[in-house]
């Protein structure tokens, strides 16, 4: 800008116009320092973050690209359960052999639920969201789906997941599983998943669960005695490493790679977002940290 002005000193009017323009541009930058923060570079294939208060976009990278979601799918599983009318979180569910067989067959993450034990819906939600138990997800789908057979109930529950996505007006999301172990048609986008998580976070029960670092359930065995389960540890490493982190859910898989739906609150501001298809457990946390820092810097 200065070079341009010097080169045109003989043209006073032009010089004045250029100088005035420079002052206006400088003034605009000075008036909005939060906007001047450089957007971070992330390894994840897709990323998105928004101001949870009003839904305004803070960060975007291929935010509307459909990608496999892995176990971040379980956010919608929990949301559907918590939206059931007259929900009793203390209702007991008997663990079936089918749930155990399913996780063994798929080599899936599990809460290590024991066949015959009676487990409350609340405990199943912790088992779903902390250790990412696909056995807990199966139990919840079987409990809250409608139908005369287990397959029918599971299909109905997945239908409820898709209905919930439509109710949120999400056009790039489809579920064909209750836990993220899809059959080729289980996908969402960074933007859509963030909106699902933001909606789920309206539930105080959901908020309490996803910010919990560890949980130990006491179940009732076949003989009526109490079993203290091994501790379930939250797979979301941000809870112990990022100031103000309040959730939400990890995901991984051969197709999904490494995913993380994240949220943090500082003061009165909450940033919520998603990274999909990052390269490792550590990298997804690094990607999320970069986006969170950028989001809070933009919010000022």
């Amino acid at each position: 800008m200065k070079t341009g002005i010097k080169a045109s000193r003989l043209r006073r009017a032009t010089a004045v116009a250029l100088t005035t323009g420079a002052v206006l541009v400088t003034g605009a930058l000075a008036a909005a320092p939060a906007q001047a923060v450089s957007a971070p570079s992330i390894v994840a294939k897709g990323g998105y973050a928004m101001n949870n208060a009003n839904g305004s976009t803070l960060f975007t990278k291929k935010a509307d690209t459909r990608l496999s979601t892995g176990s971040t799918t379980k956010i919608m599983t929990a949301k559907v359960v918590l939206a059931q009318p007259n929900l009793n979180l203390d209702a007991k569910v008997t663990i079936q052999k089918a749930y155990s067989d399913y996780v063994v067959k798929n080599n899936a993450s599990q809460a290590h639920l024991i066949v015959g034990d009676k487990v409350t819906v609340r405990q199943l939600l912790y088992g779903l969201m902390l250790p990412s138990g696909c056995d807990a997800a199966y139990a919840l789908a079987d409990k809250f789906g409608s139908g005369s057979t287990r397959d029918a109930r599971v299909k109905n529950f997945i239908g409820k997941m898709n209905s919930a996505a439509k109710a949120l007006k999400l056009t790039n999301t489809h579920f064909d599983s209750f836990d993220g172990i899809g059959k080729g048609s289980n996908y969402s986008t960074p933007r859509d998943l963030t909106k699902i998580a933001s909606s789920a976070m309206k539930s105080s029960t959901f908020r309490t669960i996803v910010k919990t670092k560890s949980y130990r359930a006491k179940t009732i065995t076949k003989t009526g005695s109490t079993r203290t389960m091994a501790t379930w540890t939250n797979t979301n490493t941000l809870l112990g490493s990022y100031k103000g982190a309040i959730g939400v859910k990890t995901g991984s898989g051969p197709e999904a790679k490494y995913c993380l739906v994240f949220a943090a609150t500082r003061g009165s501001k909450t940033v919520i977002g998603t990274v999909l298809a990052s390269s490792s457990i550590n990298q997804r946390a690094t990607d999320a940290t970069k986006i969170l820092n950028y989001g809070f810097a933009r919010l000022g």
Side-chain angles (χ1 to χ4, degrees):
M1 184 63 78
K2 286 182 181 177
T3 305
I5 293 169
K6 285 179 181 176
S8 58
R9 275 196 175 151
L10 293 175
R11 301 173 186 267
R12 296 276 179 185
T14 306
V16 170
L18 285 168
T19 305
T20 304
V23 170
L24 286 172
V25 170
T26 305
L29 289 172
Q35 304 297 326
V37 183
S38 296
S41 172
I42 62 169
V43 171
K45 192 175 287 185
Y48 180 78
M50 70 183 193
N51 178 354
N52 197 50
N54 58 17
S56 63
T57 297
L58 296 171
F59 175 88
T60 178
K61 175 185 177 181
K62 295 188 176 177
D64 300 307
T65 299
R66 293 178 178 182
L67 294 165
S68 178
T69 57
S71 284
T72 61
T73 299
K74 291 169 180 149
I75 297 170
M76 183 60 98
T77 308
K79 176 177 159 57
V80 168
V81 170
L82 290 166
Q84 295 305 298
N86 305 311
L87 178 66
N88 177 9
L89 288 168
D90 297 316
K92 291 182 174 62
V93 177
T94 302
I95 302 306
Q96 307 294 316
K97 186 172 182 291
Y99 313 156
S100 178
D101 290 346
Y102 172 80
V103 291
V104 171
K105 177 186 172 184
N106 290 284
N107 192 27
S109 55
Q110 57 176 306
H112 298 281
L113 299 171
I114 295 169
V115 176
D117 277 13
K118 289 183 171 61
V119 185
T120 69
V121 172
R122 188 192 312 276
Q123 290 168 336
L124 286 173
L125 287 166
Y126 275 96
L128 174 78
M129 299 304 284
L130 271 64
S132 199
C134 295
D135 45 356
Y138 198 164
L140 289 166
D142 192 9
K143 165 76 174 173
F144 291 103
S146 299
S148 57
T149 66
R150 184 176 291 121
D151 284 348
R153 290 189 292 273
V154 166
K155 184 176 179 181
N156 175 265
F157 185 86
I158 295 167
K160 290 181 180 182
M161 294 168 70
N162 286 312
S163 294
K166 281 180 185 159
L168 290 172
K169 297 181 169 57
L170 307 181
T171 57
N172 289 309
T173 294
H174 183 267
F175 299 107
D176 68 3
S177 77
F178 49 75
D179 58 1
I181 301 176
K183 302 169 187 67
S185 189
N186 202 88
Y187 58 81
S188 189
T189 68
R191 190 191 306 270
D192 280 9
L193 266 177
T194 302
K195 288 181 178 179
I196 292 168
S198 179
S199 175
M201 291 288 266
K202 290 175 182 174
S203 160
S204 60
T205 301
F206 184 87
R207 289 197 306 275
T208 297
I209 291 169
V210 298
K211 73 179 180 184
T212 301
K213 291 181 186 177
S214 63
Y215 181 88
R216 178 163 271 192
K218 291 190 175 181
T219 62
I220 306 300
T221 69
K222 285 180 187 176
T223 60
S225 62
T226 300
R227 184 197 311 280
T228 302
M229 297 288 289
T231 300
W232 291 330
T233 302
N234 201 317
T235 53
N236 179 9
T237 57
L238 286 189
L239 291 175
S241 65
Y242 191 85
K243 181 187 173 188
I246 56 171
V248 178
K249 184 73 187 74
T250 60
S252 61
E255 188 183 355
K257 305 304 181 189
Y258 296 89
C259 311
L260 180 58
V261 180
F262 52 87
T265 296
R266 290 185 177 175
S268 60
K269 300 176 177 71
T270 297
V271 175
I272 188 165
T274 300
V275 289
L276 294 179
S278 194
S279 59
S280 69
I281 288 173
N282 288 339
Q283 190 59 53
R284 73 184 172 196
T286 299
D287 287 345
T289 297
K290 285 181 178 180
I291 295 172
L292 282 166
N293 288 341
Y294 176 66
F296 282 119
R298 285 198 61 187
L299 291 176

